[in-house]
Amino acid sequence: MNLVVMKFGGTSVEDATAITRTAGIVRGRREQGAHPVVVVSAMAKVTDQLIAASTAAGRGDRAGALAISARLRHRHQDTARALIASEAMRDLGIWIDKKFDSLDEILRGLSALGELTARTSDKVMSLGERLSSRMVAMAFAERGLDGVNVDARRCIITDGQHGRAIPQDALIEKRLREHVLPLLEKGQLPVLGGFMGSNEQGVTTTLGRGGSDFTAALIGGGLNAAAIEIWTDVNGIMTADPRVCPDALRVKAISFEEAAELAYFGAKVLHPATILPAVQKNIPVLVLNSRNPENEGTRITALAPHCRSPFKSIAAKKRLTIIDVVASRMLMSHGYLKAIFDVFDKHKCAIDMVSTSEVSVSVSVDSNEKLPEISADLSKLADVKYEGRKALICMVGEDIRGHNGIAAQVFEAIRHVNVRMISQGASEINMSFMIEEDDVEEAVRSLHAYFFRDPDPVVFDVAARQQRAESVRK
Ligand code: ADP
Ligand code: ASP
Ligand code: MG
């Protein structure tokens, strides 16, 4: 069976027009003989609004929380009505109202208690995908595509870590074989919500923001798909975030390793965990544009073609904090670094970058929640300072290896920017450095202008840049 997982992000299901376009794309794949499993995100911005509603309720703002919920209820009802004309709309309308009635009940409870637990937050956040997946499945059915909504929480079994749950691969594979495979064998079209799962007891969990890509990869891995397609709102992985750098070019092909580094270091186009299940089973991942389905997108595979330029893309990750641990006497002593890292481990805080000197260790972290506790524990070992509003720029490319003088070129390109920490990745395919958050846009544009002046047409979509330039001239 030519099984293809097709994941559609928030903008690809943002309203009735987008969902209708999505149906057309899926129909196209089926006509080519593929058996798609569809994964959808919540409609664009819905997760943000659900979080806003539960946080408002958690701080006692009952009216504010209920107002957000009411707006979301209308948006979903309106979209459903625009999509589904048949009798089925009556049931769907009642079902949507029931979901929002219970959301309102949770929000009222939260505002009375004034406390939001991670468990409740997961329950609320997952509503976006529960709603979108059912609406999309019904919209597909209405258009003759035999869509069937499968509750992803029955398949994506995770541990109990709310907000950042870890998938249990063996159980997921078993559940997919029970709940998804039989539908495909009957010629039906399974539609699952991304981002959410449940622990073995059936309590709802989520995979972290942007996690629908991860769901797609888990399903692709679990069912040995022939390909995993990530449909989004840009033509593929670009040489930089096109919102920051309008001149960015599409990267035609990129390796798993390069894509993983980019995703981890801030390229939002792909969730960092997406690549792993695909790597394990060597399943190609394609990043495609649902607003421009004819475009070839980016193909992520085990081996990427080599290219003339050292870098494939530039990623930036904001909202980081640098923690400096200063201890002149003890740094070189045995076990000292371990003691420092044990503190981060104890607080389950991931570190992005490390640099050491004779007297100090600097680390950068991306979550601020635990900073006071971490700082208190580190103070027992040494003097501690921390500074927020930092950003990491990460330049990725497998061809860094063979190039001499790359670092000199990078720092030449951004000579006017103040650089705080530098690291040439252990994987030898990334070069990263830390700067002030306010300098990010400027730095990315300067680096992009410098390294993508004369891009290699084998790897980058140079024709699109030429067309753009011509249309501007006209
Ligand atoms: P979706 O809702 O489809 O998952 P996301 O908003 O999560 O979409 O990701 C797509 C966005 O990622 C793009 O609109 C783009 O602004 C951003 N982005 C950041 N870095 C890159 C990059 N290197 N290539 C392409 N898009 C990028
Ligand atoms: N809806 C979730 C989010 O906004 C998951 C996703 O879109 O991938 O984070
Ligand atoms: Mg995303």
Side-chain angles (χ1 to χ4, degrees):
M1 189 190 303
N2 179 19
L3 196 156
V4 178
V5 179
M6 303 177 78
K7 178 260 170 178
F8 293 89
T11 44
S12 307
V13 294
E14 67 186 348
D15 53 24
T17 314
I19 295 174
T20 306
R21 200 163 37 211
T22 293
I25 294 170
V26 174
R27 184 191 306 283
R29 277 288 175 279
R30 287 187 118 202
E31 284 167 2
Q32 290 163 354
H35 293 262
V37 176
V38 170
V39 175
V40 290
S41 289
M43 296 169 77
K45 307 261 168 19
V46 167
T47 313
D48 289 339
Q49 285 157 12
L50 288 167
I51 294 172
S54 53
T55 357
R59 49 161 203 270
D61 178 7
R62 184 169 178 259
L66 291 174
I68 298 173
S69 166
R71 283 199 293 277
L72 285 173
R73 185 193 294 249
H74 282 130
R75 177 167 170 207
H76 283 86
Q77 289 286 14
D78 289 350
T79 308
R81 262 195 304 275
L83 281 169
I84 293 150
S86 69
E87 264 298 288
M89 180 55 214
R90 223 182 73 87
D91 291 344
L92 180 60
I94 294 170
W95 181 82
I96 293 174
D97 271 338
K98 241 171 63 191
K99 293 294 137 191
F100 278 99
D101 290 346
S102 50
L103 173 66
D104 290 351
E105 211 170 296
I106 294 175
L107 294 175
R108 281 190 208 100
L110 280 176
S111 56
L113 284 171
E115 193 197 345
L116 174 62
T117 62
R119 177 178 168 145
T120 308
S121 170
D122 269 356
K123 181 89 204 236
V124 172
M125 272 198 286
S126 68
L127 180 61
E129 271 75 7
R130 284 185 275 144
L131 291 160
S132 64
S133 59
R134 169 143 329 190
M135 281 184 354
V136 168
M138 289 185 69
F140 283 1
E142 181 102 347
R143 286 156 182 76
L145 286 169
D146 216 354
V148 180
N149 187 204
V150 177
D151 189 337
R153 294 172 299 176
R154 296 173 70 185
C155 300
I156 305 298
I157 307 302
T158 69
D159 70 354
Q161 266 186 72
H162 289 289
R164 203 177 280 215
I166 300 186
Q168 312 291 299
D169 294 344
L171 282 173
I172 292 176
E173 189 173 328
K174 181 167 169 282
R175 297 291 186 94
L176 288 167
R177 291 188 181 285
E178 280 166 22
H179 300 297
V180 176
L181 208 52
L183 300 176
L184 288 168
E185 280 160 355
K186 277 192 277 178
Q188 291 180 309
L189 173 57
V191 180
L192 293 89
F195 179 54
M196 57 179 164
S198 73
N199 69 12
E200 277 185 76
Q201 287 70 46
V203 177
T204 303
T205 54
T206 58
L207 301 174
R209 293 304 308 271
S212 298
D213 298 341
F214 194 11
T215 306
L218 291 167
I219 296 177
L223 292 177
N224 280 317
I228 299 165
E229 298 180 350
I230 306 291
W231 289 87
T232 183
D233 59 356
V234 282
N235 279 342
I237 295 183
M238 315 285 281
T239 47
D241 184 344
R243 279 184 233 189
V244 174
C245 208
D247 208 26
L249 296 148
R250 173 171 63 94
V251 184
K252 294 184 193 168
I254 199 165
S255 70
F256 281 131
E257 229 187 311
E258 289 168 327
E261 297 274 339
L262 279 175
Y264 182 75
F265 288 106
K268 191 187 168 210
V269 64
L270 215 58
H271 182 280
T274 310
I275 302 296
L276 193 64
V279 173
Q280 283 163 346
K281 303 244 168 121
N282 200 15
I283 303 170
V285 177
L286 288 120
V287 181
L288 298 155
N289 189 351
S290 66
R291 293 171 180 171
N292 183 13
E294 301 306 316
N295 193 285
E296 285 169 6
T298 299
R299 199 175 170 80
I300 313 173
T301 50
L303 287 177
H306 282 287
C307 71
R308 276 203 317 255
S309 44
F311 299 116
K312 297 264 170 53
S313 182
I314 308 169
K317 191 169 180 177
K318 289 190 178 181
R319 282 179 285 283
L320 301 183
T321 299
I322 296 183
I323 306 178
D324 289 317
V325 185
V326 186
S328 49
R329 281 170 302 113
M330 292 170 65
L331 184 64
M332 301 313 280
S333 69
H334 171 80
Y336 184 63
L337 282 177
K338 178 174 184 308
I340 292 179
F341 290 129
D342 281 348
V343 171
F344 290 93
D345 187 47
K346 177 180 154 198
H347 295 286
K348 291 205 171 88
C349 177
I351 293 171
D352 284 313
M353 196 192 257
V354 184
S355 78
T356 60
S357 80
E358 182 70 24
V359 291
S360 69
V361 183
S362 301
V363 299
S364 79
V365 299
D366 70 356
S367 73
N368 293 329
E369 308 146 29
K370 295 277 178 62
L371 270 183
E373 289 97 325
I374 291 173
S375 175
D377 280 351
L378 288 173
S379 305
K380 294 175 197 151
L381 302 168
D383 293 334
V384 182
K385 280 187 305 194
Y386 56 88
E387 233 185 294
R389 296 187 51 78
K390 298 286 174 282
L392 188 75
I393 303 275
C394 175
M395 321 260 308
V396 172
E398 293 206 358
D399 297 279
I400 300 178
R401 290 185 242 256
H403 279 72
N404 292 333
I406 285 291
Q409 288 176 32
V410 167
F411 296 116
E412 163 65 18
I414 51 155
R415 59 188 175 284
H416 43 287
V417 173
N418 180 24
V419 176
R420 278 291 305 268
M421 288 166 74
I422 303 173
S423 128
Q424 175 135 13
S427 60
E428 283 188 18
I429 68 161
N430 98 49
M431 237 184 95
S432 350
F433 47 90
M434 193 75 64
I435 60 175
E436 297 297 326
E437 205 170 77
D438 293 341
D439 292 336
V440 166
E441 275 78 17
E442 160 76 21
V444 170
R445 284 190 209 117
S446 303
L447 288 163
H448 194 271
Y450 189 100
F451 287 100
F452 296 97
R453 275 178 301 209
D454 177 25
D456 187 338
V458 175
V459 175
F460 304 105
D461 184 3
V462 178
R465 178 185 276 182
Q466 282 160 353
Q467 275 166 13
R468 233 175 10 230
E470 269 160 35
S471 66
V472 171
R473 245 175 274 138
K474 275 181 207 155

